Amino acid sequence: MNIPLADLHAQYVPLKDEIISGMEKVFDSMHLFLGENVQALEKDFAQFCGAQFGIGVSDGTAALQIILRAMGIGPGDEVITVSHTFIATAEAIVLAGAIPVFVDIVGDTCLMDVNQVEAKITPRTKAILPVHLYGQMVDMDPLLQIASRHGLKVIEDACQAHGATYKGHRAGSLGDAAGFSFYYSKNLGAFGEGGFITTSDPEIARKARMIRDHGSDRRYYHDLIGFNGRLDEIQAVVLRAKLPHLTDNNELRRKHSRMYNELLASLPIVTPTERPENQHIYHLYVIQAPRRDELQVWLKEREIGTGIHYPVPIHLQNSMSNLGGKKGDFPVTEKIVDQILSLPMYAELSDEAIRTVASSIREFYKS
Ligand SMILES: *Cc1c(COP(=O)(O)O)cnc(C)c1O
């Protein structure tokens, strides 16, 4: 039984007719950018998140970069985030001209250790950028309090958290703005690249809308420096077809996670911790496992796909070496990166597949 880490085809099959006919309409009209599909998605996904404004953009990295620029954050400014995330989080800060400043994570959730943030605030700090990694939201209340005490903006990296909640509030509704990715394998994924910004601040929304389109709100008149960060109609067709199923699919992922948790209990591994105030949407189901590399090979030999998200912390990446990061800076991050392993997780995953994965892991630790 071949069990992939993610199965995008299974999600496509029931939506095929709707997606193809939506695409046909776009091709017939040749209205390819910022048309009715993008506009409808902007309204619907902003509403889904509980934000006042939604702006479709080209990808998640662009979403974060545009938000920073729209807030006027740039050269000389510092933005506090985590080292344990996908590179794009820090890259967006650098691309906006600002400096990423890292804090460590909490070991059980792999999320930003909010208690470490205040010590990193300097007169140059402009924003805090929490990452709702794997599909679980950061402890937002204390973070928002710190931000308001110091007059800082909060930007949610919600690229893995479409529909996740914290105390009943969805990702994208609590910060000053949030960036989402519609990369094809995210819980809400396009058939290519896509991204989204939510905010309830009209000024951030207005500027973000301009920056994604070369700083313009009237064709060929450019008031801000922007870039080409538009979302295209074809991707919006796919996203509109998938959005009505997002909540059900997230629920299925949650159900699968509970089954994994039960079947993997009593093994020498740590299953994901879901904090009581959160609804984790399991973009990734990540265990912490001793002898992780051997386990990964073992599962591969049994045709079970896994992933490591992410093997190298950002402060130790070559592209970020000018920030002066060194081994030992973030002990929790550096410890878990050798133990984390993402197991197969997608809405259509069968109970039988989950049992197979769990029993293969069980056999590994017996051997
Ligand atoms: C996917 C992702 C991004 C970047 O999104 P792209 O659409 O690939 O540019 C940023 N941050 C996190 C945490 C992500 O998972």
Side-chain angles (χ1 to χ4, degrees):
M1 187 182 197
N2 183 353
I3 309 169
L5 178 62
D7 182 351
L8 299 161
H9 198 262
Q11 197 185 24
Y12 168 59
V13 173
L15 301 174
K16 185 170 179 173
D17 290 347
E18 189 182 348
I19 290 172
I20 300 288
S21 79
M23 285 193 178
E24 206 164 27
K25 272 195 211 139
V26 172
F27 293 140
D28 286 342
S29 74
M30 276 298 145
H31 195 151
L32 298 171
F33 292 95
L34 306 184
E36 61 177 289
N37 287 289
V38 170
Q39 277 167 25
L41 180 75
E42 287 181 339
K43 186 173 144 289
D44 293 346
F45 192 60
Q47 194 167 36
F48 174 88
C49 295
Q52 218 169 329
F53 307 102
I55 299 123
V57 296
S58 54
D59 54 84
T61 316
L64 295 171
Q65 191 194 157
I66 291 169
I67 291 167
L68 289 158
R69 287 172 181 263
M71 290 173 171
I73 296 171
D77 297 334
E78 294 175 354
V79 178
I80 299 174
T81 189
V82 283
S83 179
H84 181 60
T85 176
F86 181 54
I87 188 75
T89 310
E91 229 170 21
I93 297 169
V94 174
L95 287 169
I99 302 159
V101 172
F102 301 115
V103 295
D104 212 341
I105 52 170
V106 179
D108 61 352
T109 58
C110 297
L111 297 175
M112 174 181 263
D113 185 348
V114 175
N115 292 323
Q116 297 191 16
V117 169
E118 210 151 18
K120 293 290 176 90
I121 295 173
T122 74
R124 301 201 294 185
T125 308
K126 291 285 155 45
I128 309 170
L129 205 164
V131 182
H132 304 320
L133 202 70
Y134 304 153
Q136 174 160 233
M137 288 177 71
V138 171
D139 192 8
M140 291 298 285
D141 276 350
L143 197 68
L144 292 165
Q145 281 161 18
I146 293 167
S148 92
R149 233 179 359 254
H150 295 270
L152 306 176
K153 297 279 192 223
V154 173
I155 303 158
E156 297 171 69
D157 182 337
C159 289
Q160 301 189 359
H162 319 72
T165 66
Y166 169 83
K167 299 184 179 173
H169 302 282
R170 282 201 170 130
S173 68
L174 290 177
D176 294 284
F180 289 85
S181 167
F182 298 137
Y183 181 67
Y184 71 107
S185 63
K186 306 283 162 109
N187 287 34
L188 182 59
F191 287 176
E193 307 283 352
F196 203 86
I197 295 166
T198 59
T199 181
S200 293
D201 180 326
E203 193 53 19
I204 293 171
R206 187 183 71 82
K207 286 192 175 148
R209 211 168 270 288
M210 291 172 72
I211 292 167
R212 75 152 172 206
D213 197 13
H214 299 290
S216 162
D217 59 6
R218 265 189 311 158
R219 201 152 195 209
Y220 302 128
Y221 291 82
H222 308 277
D223 297 335
L224 300 170
I225 294 292
F227 56 93
N228 178 358
R230 297 179 296 255
L231 177 66
D232 65 61
E233 285 285 296
I234 288 299
Q235 302 304 341
V237 165
V238 176
L239 295 161
R240 286 182 74 193
K242 288 187 177 187
L243 179 57
H245 306 281
L246 176 59
T247 302
D248 286 349
N249 286 342
N250 284 345
E251 253 337 296
L252 284 167
R253 287 172 182 260
R254 291 175 55 71
K255 182 169 141 291
H256 301 333
S257 78
R258 290 192 293 270
M259 188 165 168
Y260 268 133
N261 291 347
E262 278 171 31
L263 295 171
L264 296 172
S266 80
L267 287 176
I269 61 167
V270 180
T271 54
T273 299
E274 179 169 336
R275 295 179 47 106
E277 65 271 30
N278 280 338
Q279 286 236 339
H280 194 321
I281 53 137
Y282 295 94
H283 170 58
L284 294 167
Y285 182 90
V286 180
I287 60 168
Q288 296 177 37
R291 295 161 56 209
R292 188 267 320 271
D293 293 343
E294 283 171 68
L295 173 62
Q296 187 172 36
V297 172
W298 172 276
L299 293 173
K300 187 165 181 230
E301 285 166 359
R302 282 151 187 80
E303 297 191 306
I304 295 169
T306 59
I308 299 172
H309 301 93
Y310 298 90
V312 182
I314 305 215
H315 70 283
L316 300 177
Q317 293 283 358
N318 291 337
S319 67
M320 298 280 164
S321 61
N322 64 328
L323 298 174
K326 55 183 188 321
K327 248 194 148 75
D329 285 351
F330 303 105
V332 183
T333 293
E334 290 170 33
K335 176 168 176 255
I336 64 112
V337 295
D338 293 330
Q339 303 187 341
I340 47 178
L341 189 68
S342 308
L343 302 183
M345 176 54 82
Y346 42 93
E348 299 80 7
L349 191 64
S350 69
D351 288 358
E352 188 197 353
I354 295 171
R355 276 190 214 102
T356 304
V357 174
S359 63
S360 303
I361 296 173
R362 196 165 283 281
E363 275 168 44
F364 172 79
Y365 284 107
K366 254 195 243 155
S367 67

